[in-house]
Amino acid sequence: MTAQTQTNRRPVILTGDRPTGPLHLGHYVGSLKSRVTLQDTHEQYVLLADTQAMTDNAHDPDKVRRNVLEVALDYLAVGIDPAKTTITVQSHLPALAELTLMYLNFVTVARLERNPTIKEEIQARGFGRDIPAGFLCYPASQAADITAFKAHVVPVGEDQAPLIEQTNEIVRRINHQVGREVLPECKALIPEFGRLPGVDGKAKMSKSLGNAIALGASPEQIKAAVHSMYTDPNHLRVSDPGQVEGNVVFTYLDAFDPNTEEVKALKEHYRKGGLGDMVLKRRVEGILQDMLAPIRARREELAKDPDYVFDILRQGTAKARALTQQTLDEVRDALGMFSFEARR
Ligand code: TRP
């Protein structure tokens, strides 16, 4: 199938996660929720990006391996439906590795070093001068992921936008060289709500920062996390006027409370004074407990039957293997590489 004959198909979505830990509320708001909706209107693929996770976890492959199952459990528990969405394991799609090697020749080291996502992540990980080559080059691997599925839409957080840009640069270079559209360009789909802050008020919810609420969190863990939430440090007495901006409790109400009118009234009340943090935290806790209880129950149920989950991954990966191999063949062919069939 070529890029042209795909036009009568549903638009294709590819997303992925590095399996380095169980997923949390930030993932839910930022992408999982929309995947559950998009699977009804799109041909959706979700990649367990264990090869990419190895680019900064090569010292701990065990962690990556264990979390493939954990993240798969999270997917299924939130309602990603394997009958609608293909869930697949990156390390078992050899065509992705071959495409990556090819794409590395269509990108310069300088361009990789300038990629804002990579620059930031290198800083955050404190690699100094010891940057794993695989890490520096993972934008080419992510381009392989996206193009191997001929994805049109890639839902990612804002921090990933430069990776989509770099993917499209590689696609344009190849299409230009070949003189036709071998690969489609793709669009990033950035979530409206943006990024959910951690319970401590830090910009990003992250397991490693210890400010996350996991999707499988116990009622006690949810309670403790909500009651530790960062509010307005100057709101000492209930009667004091409080600040809503930057107050995590309100950010969470905006994200999860369906009753926007009541949230608006609560904000006014808080600003005027006379509304205590405890009342608000109890409200957030109630909403999160109700929301996470069925997810946790389903997750626990599925965790009892790992064979069922492995079967889903096996089937998804078999389907994806054929599709990605097909794209690799097309790219090789389009570039005019050695071919037994074409005897050239
Ligand atoms: N880089 C993404 C992340 O860290 C994971 C990922 C790997 C991905 N391959 C992808 C995302 C392809 C979108 C498309 O979350």
Side-chain angles (χ1 to χ4, degrees):
M1 213 170 353
T2 66
Q4 283 84 13
T5 59
Q6 283 191 0
T7 44
N8 49 8
R9 286 164 60 194
R10 287 176 167 196
V12 177
I13 289 196
L14 176 79
T15 54
D17 298 283
R18 298 180 184 190
T20 52
L23 303 184
H24 53 61
L25 273 182
H27 296 110
Y28 186 75
V29 172
S31 66
L32 297 176
K33 219 170 112 184
S34 68
R35 291 181 200 176
V36 175
T37 321
L38 291 166
Q39 65 186 349
D40 289 322
T41 49
H42 290 69
E43 183 178 324
Q44 181 165 256
Y45 298 89
V46 177
L47 187 68
L48 287 154
D50 58 340
T51 307
Q52 188 180 110
M54 285 293 282
T55 63
D56 61 340
N57 287 283
H59 57 282
D60 196 359
D62 224 47
K63 175 174 94 182
V64 177
R65 191 204 63 242
R66 275 186 284 108
N67 280 300
V68 169
L69 180 64
E70 294 300 318
V71 174
L73 287 171
D74 288 328
Y75 288 164
L76 299 171
V78 299
I80 292 180
D81 177 354
K84 299 176 181 170
T85 296
T86 305
I87 306 175
T88 175
V89 183
Q90 188 184 26
S91 62
H92 285 253
L93 301 174
L96 297 185
E98 293 184 49
L99 277 174
T100 302
L101 269 185
M102 194 81 78
Y103 292 175
L104 282 169
N105 304 311
F106 290 89
V107 57
T108 65
V109 173
R111 177 67 181 89
L112 289 164
E113 285 171 342
R114 271 200 316 272
N115 185 308
T117 309
I118 300 299
K119 261 168 101 170
E120 228 172 77
E121 291 183 347
I122 285 172
Q123 280 277 329
R125 284 162 179 72
F127 283 139
R129 289 180 45 83
D130 300 321
I131 307 164
F135 190 85
L136 180 66
C137 298
Y138 94 72
S141 145
Q142 193 151 323
D145 302 342
I146 294 167
T147 56
F149 290 90
K150 296 193 173 153
H152 307 106
V153 184
V154 185
V156 282
E158 204 165 6
D159 56 312
Q160 298 269 305
L163 293 172
I164 307 301
E165 195 37 55
Q166 191 154 11
T167 297
N168 285 333
E169 279 176 35
I170 295 171
V171 166
R172 283 193 291 269
R173 280 200 62 180
I174 292 177
N175 288 344
H176 179 77
Q177 177 167 319
V178 170
R180 66 183 165 86
E181 193 194 294
V182 188
L183 299 166
E185 288 190 41
C186 65
K187 273 202 200 71
L189 183 69
I190 315 268
E192 285 163 45
F193 183 81
R195 186 186 263 181
L196 190 71
V199 293
D200 58 356
K202 291 223 177 79
K204 193 174 177 175
M205 179 175 273
S206 137
K207 185 173 146 61
S208 55
L209 294 175
N211 62 8
I213 300 177
L215 293 173
S218 68
E220 298 71 33
Q221 288 169 327
I222 296 168
K223 180 171 184 177
V226 172
H227 287 269
S228 79
M229 262 181 192
Y230 178 85
T231 58
D232 172 2
N234 298 316
H235 185 242
L236 298 176
R237 270 173 301 243
V238 172
S239 56
D240 289 342
Q243 192 170 328
V244 167
E245 289 69 33
N247 189 321
V248 178
V249 176
F250 282 106
T251 312
Y252 277 58
L253 287 176
D254 284 337
F256 299 108
D257 194 328
N259 199 334
T260 50
E261 281 307 308
E262 265 180 49
V263 172
K264 215 173 127 199
L266 288 169
K267 286 180 182 171
E268 273 165 35
H269 193 176
Y270 195 78
R271 285 200 179 98
K272 269 200 309 223
L275 180 58
D277 287 354
M278 256 334 259
V279 176
L280 294 168
K281 285 183 174 175
R282 276 201 209 102
R283 185 178 177 106
V284 173
E285 198 209 324
I287 293 167
L288 293 184
Q289 295 285 13
D290 289 350
M291 188 180 109
L292 292 174
I295 295 175
R296 178 176 56 246
R298 177 140 172 73
R299 204 181 185 287
E300 282 170 2
E301 203 48 44
L302 288 159
K304 286 184 203 147
D305 192 3
D307 285 344
Y308 168 75
V309 182
F310 281 117
D311 271 346
I312 289 171
L313 299 184
R314 194 176 292 116
Q315 282 168 27
T317 302
K319 181 176 168 195
R321 196 177 293 132
L323 186 68
T324 54
Q325 181 63 44
Q326 163 94 27
T327 305
L328 172 63
D329 290 344
E330 282 173 27
V331 171
R332 261 195 203 142
D333 202 55
L335 288 171
M337 293 188 66
F338 176 86
S339 160
F340 286 107
E341 287 74 35
R343 294 169 167 275
R344 70 175 177 218

Short mmCIF file of all heavy atoms in Angstrom, two decimals, residues 14-18 27 35 47-49 52 90 121 138 141-143 145-146 154-156 159-160 163-164, ligand 1:
data_model
loop_
_atom_site.label_atom_id
_atom_site.label_comp_id
_atom_site.label_asym_id
_atom_site.label_seq_id
_atom_site.Cartn_x
_atom_site.Cartn_y
_atom_site.Cartn_z
N LEU A 14 -0.48 7.39 15.68
CA LEU A 14 0.49 6.62 16.45
C LEU A 14 0.86 7.41 17.70
O LEU A 14 1.15 8.60 17.63
CB LEU A 14 1.76 6.35 15.66
CG LEU A 14 2.81 5.63 16.52
CD1 LEU A 14 2.51 4.16 16.65
CD2 LEU A 14 4.20 5.87 16.04
N THR A 15 0.81 6.75 18.84
CA THR A 15 1.36 7.34 20.06
C THR A 15 2.20 6.29 20.74
O THR A 15 2.14 5.10 20.40
CB THR A 15 0.30 7.77 21.08
OG1 THR A 15 -0.54 6.67 21.37
CG2 THR A 15 -0.49 8.93 20.60
N GLY A 16 2.97 6.72 21.71
CA GLY A 16 3.79 5.76 22.41
C GLY A 16 4.16 6.27 23.78
O GLY A 16 4.01 7.44 24.09
N ASP A 17 4.61 5.35 24.60
CA ASP A 17 5.10 5.70 25.93
C ASP A 17 6.34 4.89 26.21
O ASP A 17 6.43 3.73 25.83
CB ASP A 17 4.05 5.36 27.00
CG ASP A 17 2.77 6.16 26.80
OD1 ASP A 17 2.78 7.33 27.16
OD2 ASP A 17 1.80 5.60 26.26
N ARG A 18 7.28 5.53 26.90
CA ARG A 18 8.44 4.77 27.37
C ARG A 18 8.03 3.99 28.61
O ARG A 18 7.61 4.61 29.59
CB ARG A 18 9.55 5.72 27.78
CG ARG A 18 10.06 6.56 26.66
CD ARG A 18 11.15 7.44 27.21
NE ARG A 18 11.60 8.35 26.18
CZ ARG A 18 12.67 9.12 26.30
NH1 ARG A 18 13.35 9.09 27.42
NH2 ARG A 18 13.02 9.91 25.32
N HIS A 27 -0.49 11.42 32.66
CA HIS A 27 -0.66 10.71 31.38
C HIS A 27 -2.14 10.62 31.00
O HIS A 27 -2.50 10.72 29.84
CB HIS A 27 -0.10 9.29 31.47
CG HIS A 27 1.37 9.22 31.73
ND1 HIS A 27 1.90 8.79 32.92
CD2 HIS A 27 2.42 9.55 30.94
CE1 HIS A 27 3.22 8.84 32.85
NE2 HIS A 27 3.57 9.30 31.67
N ARG A 35 -6.94 9.08 23.78
CA ARG A 35 -6.78 7.84 23.00
C ARG A 35 -8.07 7.01 23.03
O ARG A 35 -8.43 6.38 22.04
CB ARG A 35 -5.64 6.99 23.55
CG ARG A 35 -4.29 7.61 23.33
CD ARG A 35 -3.21 6.72 23.87
NE ARG A 35 -1.99 7.47 24.11
CZ ARG A 35 -0.90 6.96 24.65
NH1 ARG A 35 -0.89 5.70 25.02
NH2 ARG A 35 0.17 7.70 24.82
N LEU A 47 2.38 2.39 20.86
CA LEU A 47 3.68 1.72 20.91
C LEU A 47 4.24 1.72 22.33
O LEU A 47 4.39 2.78 22.94
CB LEU A 47 4.63 2.50 19.99
CG LEU A 47 6.00 1.94 19.70
CD1 LEU A 47 5.90 0.67 18.86
CD2 LEU A 47 6.83 2.99 18.97
N LEU A 48 4.54 0.54 22.83
CA LEU A 48 5.28 0.44 24.09
C LEU A 48 6.75 0.59 23.72
O LEU A 48 7.38 -0.35 23.21
CB LEU A 48 4.99 -0.91 24.76
CG LEU A 48 3.59 -0.98 25.38
CD1 LEU A 48 3.09 -2.41 25.45
CD2 LEU A 48 3.60 -0.34 26.76
N ALA A 49 7.27 1.81 23.94
CA ALA A 49 8.57 2.18 23.36
C ALA A 49 9.71 1.72 24.26
O ALA A 49 10.45 2.53 24.83
CB ALA A 49 8.61 3.68 23.10
N GLN A 52 13.23 2.71 22.93
CA GLN A 52 13.54 4.11 23.25
C GLN A 52 13.86 4.26 24.75
O GLN A 52 14.75 5.03 25.12
CB GLN A 52 12.39 5.04 22.85
CG GLN A 52 12.77 6.50 23.00
CD GLN A 52 11.67 7.45 22.62
OE1 GLN A 52 11.10 8.13 23.46
NE2 GLN A 52 11.35 7.54 21.33
N GLN A 90 7.76 -2.12 20.79
CA GLN A 90 8.76 -1.57 19.86
C GLN A 90 9.93 -2.51 19.60
O GLN A 90 10.33 -2.68 18.45
CB GLN A 90 9.28 -0.24 20.43
CG GLN A 90 10.18 0.52 19.47
CD GLN A 90 10.74 1.78 20.11
OE1 GLN A 90 10.87 1.88 21.33
NE2 GLN A 90 11.05 2.77 19.28
N GLU A 121 16.38 17.36 27.70
CA GLU A 121 16.46 16.06 28.36
C GLU A 121 17.89 15.70 28.75
O GLU A 121 18.12 15.05 29.76
CB GLU A 121 15.83 14.98 27.47
CG GLU A 121 14.32 15.15 27.35
CD GLU A 121 13.63 14.07 26.54
OE1 GLU A 121 14.33 13.30 25.83
OE2 GLU A 121 12.40 14.00 26.59
N TYR A 138 17.78 9.38 19.29
CA TYR A 138 16.44 8.82 19.35
C TYR A 138 15.38 9.60 18.55
O TYR A 138 14.37 9.01 18.16
CB TYR A 138 16.01 8.51 20.81
CG TYR A 138 15.22 9.55 21.55
CD1 TYR A 138 13.89 9.81 21.23
CD2 TYR A 138 15.79 10.26 22.60
CE1 TYR A 138 13.15 10.76 21.92
CE2 TYR A 138 15.06 11.20 23.30
CZ TYR A 138 13.74 11.45 22.95
OH TYR A 138 13.02 12.38 23.63
N SER A 141 14.86 7.57 15.63
CA SER A 141 14.11 6.37 15.95
C SER A 141 12.62 6.68 16.12
O SER A 141 11.75 5.93 15.66
CB SER A 141 14.74 5.73 17.20
OG SER A 141 13.77 5.12 18.00
N GLN A 142 12.35 7.83 16.71
CA GLN A 142 10.93 8.21 16.84
C GLN A 142 10.33 8.54 15.47
O GLN A 142 9.17 8.26 15.20
CB GLN A 142 10.77 9.39 17.81
CG GLN A 142 9.32 9.60 18.20
CD GLN A 142 9.15 10.21 19.59
OE1 GLN A 142 9.90 9.88 20.52
NE2 GLN A 142 8.18 11.07 19.75
N ALA A 143 11.16 9.10 14.58
CA ALA A 143 10.70 9.34 13.20
C ALA A 143 10.37 8.01 12.53
O ALA A 143 9.40 7.88 11.78
CB ALA A 143 11.76 10.11 12.41
N ASP A 145 9.39 5.28 14.11
CA ASP A 145 8.12 4.81 14.70
C ASP A 145 6.93 5.42 13.96
O ASP A 145 5.99 4.72 13.57
CB ASP A 145 7.99 5.24 16.17
CG ASP A 145 9.12 4.75 17.06
OD1 ASP A 145 9.83 3.82 16.65
OD2 ASP A 145 9.28 5.32 18.17
N ILE A 146 7.00 6.74 13.83
CA ILE A 146 5.85 7.47 13.30
C ILE A 146 5.61 7.14 11.83
O ILE A 146 4.49 6.85 11.41
CB ILE A 146 6.06 8.99 13.48
CG1 ILE A 146 6.05 9.33 14.99
CG2 ILE A 146 5.02 9.80 12.73
CD1 ILE A 146 6.57 10.73 15.32
N VAL A 154 -0.13 12.57 15.53
CA VAL A 154 0.65 12.05 16.65
C VAL A 154 0.33 12.86 17.92
O VAL A 154 0.80 13.97 18.09
CB VAL A 154 2.18 12.12 16.35
CG1 VAL A 154 2.97 11.46 17.47
CG2 VAL A 154 2.50 11.48 15.02
N PRO A 155 -0.53 12.31 18.79
CA PRO A 155 -0.86 13.02 20.02
C PRO A 155 0.31 12.95 21.00
O PRO A 155 0.70 11.86 21.41
CB PRO A 155 -2.08 12.26 20.58
CG PRO A 155 -2.51 11.32 19.49
CD PRO A 155 -1.29 11.05 18.67
N VAL A 156 0.87 14.09 21.31
CA VAL A 156 2.01 14.14 22.23
C VAL A 156 1.93 15.39 23.09
O VAL A 156 1.25 16.35 22.74
CB VAL A 156 3.37 14.18 21.47
CG1 VAL A 156 3.76 12.83 20.95
CG2 VAL A 156 3.36 15.23 20.38
N ASP A 159 6.13 19.20 24.98
CA ASP A 159 7.58 19.04 25.01
C ASP A 159 8.09 18.16 23.86
O ASP A 159 9.27 18.17 23.53
CB ASP A 159 8.01 18.43 26.36
CG ASP A 159 7.30 17.10 26.64
OD1 ASP A 159 6.07 17.04 26.48
OD2 ASP A 159 7.99 16.13 27.01
N GLN A 160 7.16 17.42 23.23
CA GLN A 160 7.56 16.51 22.15
C GLN A 160 7.44 17.13 20.77
O GLN A 160 7.83 16.51 19.78
CB GLN A 160 6.69 15.24 22.19
CG GLN A 160 6.82 14.43 23.48
CD GLN A 160 7.90 13.38 23.37
OE1 GLN A 160 7.89 12.55 22.47
NE2 GLN A 160 8.85 13.44 24.27
N LEU A 163 10.20 16.94 18.21
CA LEU A 163 10.46 15.62 17.63
C LEU A 163 9.59 15.39 16.40
O LEU A 163 9.99 14.74 15.44
CB LEU A 163 10.20 14.52 18.67
CG LEU A 163 11.16 14.51 19.86
CD1 LEU A 163 10.69 13.52 20.91
CD2 LEU A 163 12.57 14.16 19.41
N ILE A 164 8.38 15.93 16.45
CA ILE A 164 7.49 15.82 15.29
C ILE A 164 8.04 16.67 14.14
O ILE A 164 8.04 16.25 12.98
CB ILE A 164 6.06 16.30 15.66
CG1 ILE A 164 5.55 15.58 16.91
CG2 ILE A 164 5.10 16.13 14.50
CD1 ILE A 164 5.48 14.09 16.81
N1 TRP B 1 9.05 9.97 23.24
C1 TRP B 1 7.78 9.56 23.75
C2 TRP B 1 7.76 9.85 25.25
O1 TRP B 1 8.80 9.99 25.86
C3 TRP B 1 7.49 8.09 23.53
C4 TRP B 1 7.41 7.70 22.08
C5 TRP B 1 8.21 6.81 21.44
C6 TRP B 1 6.51 8.19 21.11
N2 TRP B 1 7.86 6.69 20.14
C7 TRP B 1 6.82 7.51 19.89
C8 TRP B 1 5.48 9.13 21.13
C9 TRP B 1 6.12 7.78 18.73
C10 TRP B 1 4.78 9.38 19.96
C11 TRP B 1 5.09 8.71 18.77
O2 TRP B 1 6.70 9.92 25.83
#
